[in-house]
């Protein structure tokens, strides 16, 4: 879900941007909630709502978009800001408030779609979490969301990822600590599974991306509770 604010004092322009956003959400398969504002002072007050995306006209009557963005950045460093304007000279000042881009009016759907693709990509990249794993004399970064499960053999552990297996000399305890706070469950002493890849349970085995991984009887109830919390979060 992407919480979006459109700030525009021209009613026709506002509806155009809104229609573009709704069309984009259908084409790119994302859900969004859209709030509408007609001036910069309104969005500054509304920023407490914690928007993911703000599409804002620069030329507003009371508090212009650039000044509003400066105030927003004092309390929110993460919201993606996209400006709309008739004047391309504002582009340089936009860097000061870390604006993603600006769209020249009249805004075309092609230009809007291209900027939205960049905004969505930026959100995905910023939401990714990585862990560092030592392999011999090198260190690699693993995208946590791509780790299907971790298992242990002797003094080594193996991260089974969507890109392949990564083996490192470490303990399961170290893997658990590295992935703390992420949706992983230790189903026995030798396996740590990513709940996102659990397809189901068969007897005392979890089905993880088509593979069978045993869950101890003592941990089965805790697994069901963890899975239920993950699915209903």
């Amino acid at each position: 879900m992407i919480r979006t604010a459109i700030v525009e004092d021209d009613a026709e322009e506002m509806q155009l941007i809104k229609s573009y956003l709704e069309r984009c959400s259908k084409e790119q398969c994302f859900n969004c909630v859209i709030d509408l504002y007609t001036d910069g002072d309104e969005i500054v007050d509304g920023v407490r709502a914690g928007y993911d995306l703000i599409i804002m006209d620069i030329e507003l009557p009371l508090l212009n978009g650039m000044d509003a963005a400066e105030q927003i950045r004092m309390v929110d460093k993460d919201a993606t800001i996209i400006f709309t304007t008739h004047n391309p000279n504002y582009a340089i000042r936009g860097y000061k408030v870390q604006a993603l881009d600006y769209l020249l009016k009249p805004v075309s759907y092609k230009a809007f779609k291209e900027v939205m693709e960049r905004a969505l990509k930026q959100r995905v990249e910023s939401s990714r979490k990585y862990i560092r794993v030592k392999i011999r004399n090198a260190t690699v970064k693993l995208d946590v969301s791509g780790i299907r499960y971790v298992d242990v053999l002797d003094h080594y552990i193996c991260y089974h990822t969507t890109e392949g297996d990564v083996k490192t000399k470490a303990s399961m305890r170290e893997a658990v600590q590295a992935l703390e706070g992420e949706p992983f469950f230790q189903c026995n002493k030798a396996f740590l599974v990513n709940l996102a890849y659990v397809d189901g349970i068969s007897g005392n085995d979890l089905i993880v991306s088509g593979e069978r991984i045993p869950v101890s009887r003592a941990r089965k109830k805790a697994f069901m509770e963890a899975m239920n919390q993950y699915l209903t979060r």
Side-chain angles (χ1 to χ4, degrees), residues 56-217:
M56 182 158 53
D57 184 20
I58 293 179
E59 297 95 345
L60 296 169
L62 298 178
L63 182 65
N64 71 54
M66 202 65 70
D67 291 339
E70 289 182 0
Q71 293 189 41
I72 290 168
R73 282 293 181 237
M74 292 179 185
V75 296
D76 189 343
K77 303 293 184 184
D78 299 322
T80 298
I81 297 176
I82 298 170
F83 286 121
T84 60
T85 180
H86 287 104
N87 188 351
N89 294 327
Y90 281 113
I92 295 176
R93 192 180 168 194
Y95 290 111
K96 183 178 179 181
V97 292
Q98 295 88 50
L100 175 69
D101 210 335
Y102 72 97
L103 292 164
L104 275 178
K105 294 181 177 182
V107 179
S108 69
Y109 181 68
K110 180 182 178 182
F112 182 87
K113 182 179 179 180
E114 288 175 353
V115 171
M116 278 302 301
E117 287 174 349
R118 287 182 55 209
L120 293 172
K121 183 178 179 181
Q122 183 186 72
R123 282 185 55 77
V124 170
E125 290 295 329
S126 63
S127 66
R128 284 181 178 169
K129 296 182 180 179
Y130 297 87
I131 60 171
R132 296 181 181 275
V133 176
K134 291 183 179 179
I135 303 178
R136 296 176 184 163
N137 297 322
T139 300
V140 297
K141 283 199 318 180
L142 297 183
D143 183 346
V144 170
S145 66
I147 300 171
R148 297 184 295 114
Y149 68 92
V150 186
D151 62 5
V152 61
L153 179 63
D154 297 327
H155 298 295
Y156 289 85
I157 60 172
C158 184
Y159 290 90
H160 299 265
T161 81
T162 54
E163 302 296 323
D165 296 345
V166 177
K167 189 177 179 181
T168 181
K169 192 170 185 178
S171 66
M172 177 58 76
R173 182 179 179 181
E174 290 174 288
V176 170
Q177 290 176 340
L179 295 167
E180 186 176 2
E182 301 301 321
F184 284 78
F185 182 84
Q186 188 174 2
C187 51
N188 57 52
K189 292 181 179 179
F191 287 90
L192 180 68
V193 302
N194 187 337
L195 298 177
Y197 292 91
V198 176
D199 300 319
I201 185 168
S202 176
N204 290 321
D205 290 339
L206 305 182
I207 311 301
V208 180
S209 298
E211 299 182 51
R212 300 180 77 92
I213 294 176
V215 57
S216 68
R217 290 183 180 180

Side-chain angles (χ1 to χ4, degrees), residues 37-55:
Y37 299 96
T38 58
D39 211 314
D41 59 338
E42 296 177 4
I43 182 62
V44 168
D45 290 337
V47 78
R48 290 188 298 275
Y51 290 106
D52 302 303
L53 173 65
I54 299 172
I55 304 171

Side-chain angles (χ1 to χ4, degrees), residues 215-233:
V215 57
S216 68
R217 290 183 180 180
R219 303 233 69 202
K220 193 171 181 179
K221 182 180 179 181
F223 164 76
M224 296 302 292
E225 292 174 351
M227 194 70 197
N228 183 61
Q229 288 180 359
Y230 172 74
L231 293 173
T232 58
R233 64 181 182 176

